[in-house]
Amino acid sequence: MRSVWKGVISFGLVSIPVRLYSATQERDVAFHQVRRSDGSRVRYRRVAEADGDEVNYADVAKGFELPDGQTVVLTDEDFANLPLSTSRAIDVLEFVPLEQVDPIYFAKSYYVEPDRTGAKPYVLLRDALAESGRVALVKIALRQREQLATLRVRDGVFVLETMIWPDEVREPDFPFLDEHVEVRPQELAMAASLIDTLAADFDPGRFSDEYRTALQSVIDAKIAGRAVVSPPVSPQKEPVGDLMAALRASIAAARRDHPDSAGADGAGVDGPPAGKAVADKAASEAGSTKAGATKAGGVKAGATKAGATKAAPPKGATGTATAGKSTVTSKAASTRSATPTRRSA
């Protein structure tokens, strides 16, 4: 690996010389833009808008456009002279619990390697940080931009995760957040049952980039001069209006693909769904509560008994769901031994 940054970790009065390396890499299939008729490469030129003359890369600078249309030109020297105290240092600001850092802030990961003279203080800080259960919140100037970041320990090495600033996170502003959407206890119980059925330990090695694999197959076929055959496309299922029925079908399908989870709650694929039993119990308790309130108001016991009767699953439900949407097909199982693919942000 080639280092992308060299500096020090500044921890109190301790300075640890380190180097940064990109911890992730893209695995996309690379393409060039070419002319369709003969595959000739298509090149782009940098031209000045004012006169159309081609501009050498060495003569390109950054320009900030003012509201009146004028442009302020900034050169590399202007950026180099910015008063950044962290220009060559990773300044430790404080130590915080990792669970308090929302993952939406993370941008890109870097491995941090100590120089030979800094190995001992590096290991000292690494072990102390690992025992603390916290991560270091730091500030670093990387690629001419000051950024927040965290330092954490992974496989015996510091990983620096650069972060975006709080004002760069957009607020979710969607109309449905202001609407009242009612979710019934039965539906919530069924959804919880589906989650339990699909519960598993995180193992990224079970998944792979199927699109990239298929694309490489097409390229290989082109090279070999073979005919490219597209795989059959499964017919799309029609939306199901009954949300409860869709959830039950999803649970049954999930149990077929995850047989180890089928008996977790004492019910098989052909038996009554566990979510239905939980939902019926919730409905029964809700009815009993209603009956107690009615009795307290002086209504006849017959009405109270009727209120405590088990509620039957409704014929309709608010919203629309697709029966096959939460189904985990057997195709996912075939990727268990594949190499994980992680994309950098």
Side-chain angles (χ1 to χ4, degrees):
M1 292 187 290
R2 184 174 62 86
S3 64
V4 297
W5 185 91
K6 182 179 179 180
V8 298
I9 297 177
S10 179
F11 173 50
L13 298 179
V14 179
S15 294
I16 308 172
V18 295
R19 299 172 186 268
L20 293 188
Y21 301 83
S22 293
T24 60
Q25 58 183 339
E26 292 286 348
R27 289 291 189 183
D28 286 342
V29 179
F31 292 101
H32 295 300
Q33 288 190 324
V34 299
R35 186 163 54 192
R36 186 187 301 272
S37 60
D38 58 1
S40 177
R41 285 284 300 273
V42 175
R43 302 285 185 177
Y44 289 91
R45 295 188 307 156
R46 292 177 293 272
V47 297
E49 189 177 84
D51 51 22
D53 290 345
E54 187 169 358
V55 181
N56 294 325
Y57 184 78
D59 296 328
V60 176
K62 291 181 173 63
F64 180 81
E65 186 174 352
L66 301 175
D68 60 2
Q70 297 187 73
T71 300
V72 176
V73 178
L74 298 176
T75 64
D76 292 340
E77 290 74 18
D78 294 324
F79 288 102
N81 294 327
L82 286 175
L84 292 178
S85 59
T86 57
S87 59
R88 282 296 168 187
I90 301 174
D91 281 342
V92 177
L93 305 178
E94 54 192 18
F95 297 94
V96 300
L98 178 60
E99 60 269 17
Q100 293 183 3
V101 184
D102 193 325
I104 198 172
Y105 289 109
F106 292 137
K108 185 173 174 57
S109 303
Y110 296 89
Y111 288 132
V112 184
E113 179 200 29
D115 279 355
R116 184 164 46 185
T117 58
K120 184 173 181 177
Y122 179 99
V123 172
L124 174 64
L125 177 58
R126 180 200 66 187
D127 293 349
L129 186 60
E131 291 181 6
S132 72
R134 295 173 177 264
V135 296
L137 185 66
V138 303
K139 187 179 288 187
I140 180 175
L142 192 61
R143 293 190 174 92
Q144 298 180 334
R145 185 188 180 194
E146 189 175 59
Q147 301 180 68
L148 278 178
T150 60
L151 270 181
R152 62 183 178 88
V153 181
R154 181 180 186 273
D155 295 336
V157 177
F158 274 133
V159 175
L160 184 137
E161 304 268 4
T162 58
M163 304 167 64
I164 61 176
W165 295 99
D167 60 359
E168 295 177 320
V169 178
R170 293 177 175 176
E171 291 292 332
D173 184 15
F174 305 107
F176 84 94
L177 293 175
D178 298 324
E179 300 173 358
H180 175 68
V181 181
E182 183 178 359
V183 178
R184 296 177 300 158
Q186 300 97 318
E187 297 166 343
L188 188 60
M190 291 294 288
S193 179
L194 177 58
I195 292 174
D196 291 339
T197 303
L198 296 175
D201 293 328
F202 178 61
D203 180 12
R206 294 171 49 223
F207 308 97
S208 64
D209 188 347
E210 296 180 6
Y211 175 82
R212 176 162 56 93
T213 301
L215 186 58
Q216 188 63 54
S217 298
V218 171
I219 295 173
D220 293 341
K222 288 276 190 179
I223 294 173
R226 300 191 306 267
V228 179
V229 180
S230 300
V233 180
S234 301
Q236 293 185 352
K237 297 181 179 180
E238 294 295 328
V240 177
D242 191 338
L243 182 57
M244 290 291 288
L247 288 170
R248 289 195 184 100
S250 299
I251 292 173
R255 285 174 179 160
R256 284 196 298 270
D257 295 324
H258 295 74
D260 294 339
S261 303
D265 51 10
V269 176
D270 298 328
K276 183 177 185 298
V278 176
D280 290 343
K281 182 179 179 181
S284 177
E285 292 174 354
S288 299
T289 304
K290 181 179 179 182
T294 306
K295 187 175 181 180
V299 182
K300 292 181 180 181
T304 304
K305 183 177 181 182
T309 303
K310 184 187 295 183
K315 295 181 179 179
T318 56
T320 302
T322 304
K325 228 170 190 181
S326 298
T327 301
V328 179
T329 64
S330 59
K331 190 175 183 180
S334 65
T335 62
R336 294 185 179 178
S337 62
T339 303
T341 301
R342 178 180 175 187
R343 300 183 183 279
S344 60

Short mmCIF file of all heavy atoms in Angstrom, two decimals, residues 9 14 26 54 62 107 119 133 135 139-140 168 174 185 188 218 243 254 291 298 332-334:
data_model
loop_
_atom_site.label_atom_id
_atom_site.label_comp_id
_atom_site.label_asym_id
_atom_site.label_seq_id
_atom_site.Cartn_x
_atom_site.Cartn_y
_atom_site.Cartn_z
N ILE A 9 0.27 11.68 15.67
CA ILE A 9 -0.89 11.69 16.57
C ILE A 9 -0.48 12.48 17.79
O ILE A 9 0.48 12.12 18.49
CB ILE A 9 -1.31 10.26 16.98
CG1 ILE A 9 -1.76 9.45 15.76
CG2 ILE A 9 -2.43 10.31 18.01
CD1 ILE A 9 -2.12 8.01 16.10
N VAL A 14 2.35 13.75 24.22
CA VAL A 14 2.95 12.65 23.48
C VAL A 14 2.67 12.83 21.99
O VAL A 14 1.54 13.11 21.58
CB VAL A 14 2.39 11.29 23.95
CG1 VAL A 14 3.01 10.15 23.14
CG2 VAL A 14 2.67 11.11 25.43
N GLU A 26 -12.17 0.40 -4.25
CA GLU A 26 -13.30 0.08 -5.12
C GLU A 26 -12.99 -1.16 -5.95
O GLU A 26 -11.86 -1.35 -6.40
CB GLU A 26 -13.59 1.27 -6.07
CG GLU A 26 -14.11 2.51 -5.37
CD GLU A 26 -15.55 2.38 -4.93
OE1 GLU A 26 -16.21 1.41 -5.38
OE2 GLU A 26 -16.01 3.22 -4.15
N GLU A 54 -7.12 25.68 -25.30
CA GLU A 54 -6.88 24.57 -24.37
C GLU A 54 -5.97 25.04 -23.24
O GLU A 54 -5.01 25.79 -23.45
CB GLU A 54 -6.23 23.40 -25.13
CG GLU A 54 -6.10 22.14 -24.28
CD GLU A 54 -5.69 20.92 -25.09
OE1 GLU A 54 -5.56 21.06 -26.33
OE2 GLU A 54 -5.51 19.84 -24.50
N LYS A 62 -8.42 27.15 -8.76
CA LYS A 62 -9.78 27.09 -8.25
C LYS A 62 -10.35 28.50 -8.21
O LYS A 62 -9.68 29.44 -7.79
CB LYS A 62 -9.84 26.44 -6.87
CG LYS A 62 -9.50 24.96 -6.87
CD LYS A 62 -9.61 24.38 -5.46
CE LYS A 62 -9.44 22.87 -5.49
NZ LYS A 62 -8.12 22.44 -5.96
N ALA A 107 -17.25 8.98 6.81
CA ALA A 107 -17.02 9.22 5.38
C ALA A 107 -16.08 8.19 4.77
O ALA A 107 -16.45 7.46 3.86
CB ALA A 107 -16.46 10.63 5.16
N ALA A 119 6.57 3.16 17.58
CA ALA A 119 5.83 1.92 17.80
C ALA A 119 5.38 1.77 19.26
O ALA A 119 4.23 1.37 19.52
CB ALA A 119 6.70 0.72 17.40
N GLY A 133 -13.00 1.01 25.96
CA GLY A 133 -14.29 0.85 25.31
C GLY A 133 -14.76 2.11 24.61
O GLY A 133 -15.93 2.21 24.23
N VAL A 135 -13.75 5.55 21.73
CA VAL A 135 -12.97 5.93 20.55
C VAL A 135 -12.47 7.35 20.75
O VAL A 135 -13.07 8.14 21.51
CB VAL A 135 -13.82 5.85 19.26
CG1 VAL A 135 -14.25 4.42 19.00
CG2 VAL A 135 -15.05 6.76 19.34
N LYS A 139 -9.13 15.66 15.25
CA LYS A 139 -9.24 16.62 14.15
C LYS A 139 -8.00 16.49 13.30
O LYS A 139 -6.88 16.37 13.80
CB LYS A 139 -9.38 18.05 14.67
CG LYS A 139 -9.67 19.08 13.59
CD LYS A 139 -9.81 20.48 14.18
CE LYS A 139 -11.09 20.64 14.95
NZ LYS A 139 -11.30 22.05 15.38
N ILE A 140 -8.18 16.49 11.96
CA ILE A 140 -7.07 16.31 11.03
C ILE A 140 -7.31 17.16 9.79
O ILE A 140 -8.46 17.35 9.37
CB ILE A 140 -6.91 14.81 10.65
CG1 ILE A 140 -5.74 14.63 9.67
CG2 ILE A 140 -8.20 14.27 10.06
CD1 ILE A 140 -5.45 13.17 9.33
N GLU A 168 -23.43 19.40 7.52
CA GLU A 168 -23.46 18.74 6.22
C GLU A 168 -24.46 17.59 6.18
O GLU A 168 -24.64 16.95 5.14
CB GLU A 168 -22.07 18.23 5.85
CG GLU A 168 -21.05 19.35 5.65
CD GLU A 168 -19.65 18.84 5.37
OE1 GLU A 168 -19.25 17.85 6.01
OE2 GLU A 168 -18.96 19.42 4.51
N PHE A 174 -39.89 14.81 5.03
CA PHE A 174 -40.79 14.05 4.18
C PHE A 174 -42.23 14.21 4.69
O PHE A 174 -42.46 14.24 5.90
CB PHE A 174 -40.40 12.58 4.15
CG PHE A 174 -38.97 12.33 3.74
CD1 PHE A 174 -38.02 11.94 4.66
CD2 PHE A 174 -38.59 12.51 2.41
CE1 PHE A 174 -36.70 11.72 4.28
CE2 PHE A 174 -37.27 12.30 2.01
CZ PHE A 174 -36.33 11.91 2.94
N PRO A 185 -51.48 -3.46 16.81
CA PRO A 185 -50.62 -4.38 17.57
C PRO A 185 -50.38 -5.70 16.84
O PRO A 185 -49.29 -6.25 16.89
CB PRO A 185 -51.39 -4.58 18.88
CG PRO A 185 -52.24 -3.37 19.03
CD PRO A 185 -52.62 -2.98 17.63
N LEU A 188 -47.73 -5.15 14.21
CA LEU A 188 -46.43 -4.96 14.84
C LEU A 188 -45.87 -6.29 15.34
O LEU A 188 -44.66 -6.57 15.19
CB LEU A 188 -46.55 -3.97 16.00
CG LEU A 188 -45.24 -3.51 16.66
CD1 LEU A 188 -44.34 -2.83 15.65
CD2 LEU A 188 -45.52 -2.58 17.83
N VAL A 218 -20.22 -11.17 -18.70
CA VAL A 218 -20.54 -10.62 -20.02
C VAL A 218 -19.26 -10.25 -20.76
O VAL A 218 -19.09 -10.54 -21.95
CB VAL A 218 -21.47 -9.40 -19.89
CG1 VAL A 218 -21.64 -8.69 -21.23
CG2 VAL A 218 -22.83 -9.82 -19.35
N LEU A 243 -52.01 -6.50 4.57
CA LEU A 243 -50.67 -6.42 5.15
C LEU A 243 -50.37 -7.62 6.02
O LEU A 243 -49.28 -8.16 6.01
CB LEU A 243 -50.54 -5.12 5.96
CG LEU A 243 -49.18 -4.84 6.60
CD1 LEU A 243 -48.09 -4.82 5.55
CD2 LEU A 243 -49.21 -3.53 7.37
N ALA A 254 -39.42 -17.08 4.74
CA ALA A 254 -38.15 -16.92 5.45
C ALA A 254 -37.78 -18.20 6.18
O ALA A 254 -36.62 -18.59 6.25
CB ALA A 254 -38.22 -15.75 6.42
N ALA A 291 -62.70 -4.31 28.47
CA ALA A 291 -63.82 -4.86 29.22
C ALA A 291 -63.80 -4.38 30.66
O ALA A 291 -64.83 -4.05 31.24
CB ALA A 291 -63.75 -6.39 29.18
N GLY A 298 -70.17 0.56 34.90
CA GLY A 298 -71.52 0.11 35.24
C GLY A 298 -72.23 -0.58 34.11
O GLY A 298 -73.44 -0.82 34.19
N ALA A 332 -29.47 -15.94 -2.14
CA ALA A 332 -28.60 -15.34 -1.14
C ALA A 332 -27.74 -16.38 -0.46
O ALA A 332 -26.61 -16.14 -0.07
CB ALA A 332 -29.43 -14.60 -0.10
N ALA A 333 -28.31 -17.59 -0.31
CA ALA A 333 -27.56 -18.65 0.36
C ALA A 333 -26.34 -19.08 -0.43
O ALA A 333 -25.36 -19.54 0.13
CB ALA A 333 -28.48 -19.85 0.60
N SER A 334 -26.40 -18.95 -1.76
CA SER A 334 -25.29 -19.39 -2.60
C SER A 334 -24.10 -18.47 -2.51
O SER A 334 -23.04 -18.78 -3.02
CB SER A 334 -25.76 -19.47 -4.05
OG SER A 334 -26.09 -18.20 -4.52
#
